[in-house]
Amino acid sequence: MSTAAQYADPTPPPMTNVREVRAALAGLAALGVPTERDRFEQELDDVPLHEFEDFIQRYKTYVEENTTPEAVAALTMPVATSAAQLRRKLAEAGR
């Protein structure tokens, strides 16, 4: 299964533990999303335990926002298609 197909589902990937959050961040990198995985790894060891839930939620939200069907479609569309859409929108805006 391709990475794009893996994240084309409107539900975000399961993220019930640190391993799954890490894998979801890696999956975004494969889609071309500027990954937060390096930052996640750097912060993980130093996050205070009383802030851990908020820390994990921040990255889960990041993954969820970048795995919507619209986000995946935008990330996986060919450059020519993206450029044509941009030209059309600019023309509609009168620019």
Side-chain angles (χ1 to χ4, degrees):
M1 173 186 295
S2 75
T3 305
Q6 185 178 1
Y7 289 103
D9 184 353
T11 58
M15 293 179 283
T16 58
N17 57 47
V18 172
R19 180 178 25 83
E20 290 173 347
V21 172
R22 189 178 278 132
L25 290 167
L28 288 177
L31 284 174
V33 175
T35 184
E36 292 283 321
R37 184 167 181 201
D38 291 339
R39 186 171 166 197
F40 173 83
E41 295 296 341
Q42 290 171 350
E43 293 178 7
L44 181 61
D45 289 336
D46 296 326
V47 69
L49 290 178
H50 68 278
E51 295 177 13
F52 190 75
E53 278 188 53
D54 291 339
F55 170 78
I56 292 296
Q57 187 57 48
R58 179 170 40 128
Y59 286 98
K60 286 174 67 172
T61 299
Y62 178 83
V63 170
E64 289 164 355
E65 289 172 352
N66 286 287
T67 55
T68 64
E70 297 82 13
V72 172
L75 290 167
T76 58
M77 81 172 55
V79 173
T81 304
S82 178
Q85 284 184 357
L86 180 58
R87 281 192 300 274
R88 186 183 76 249
K89 288 180 182 184
L90 288 172
E92 290 170 359
R95 295 182 179 195

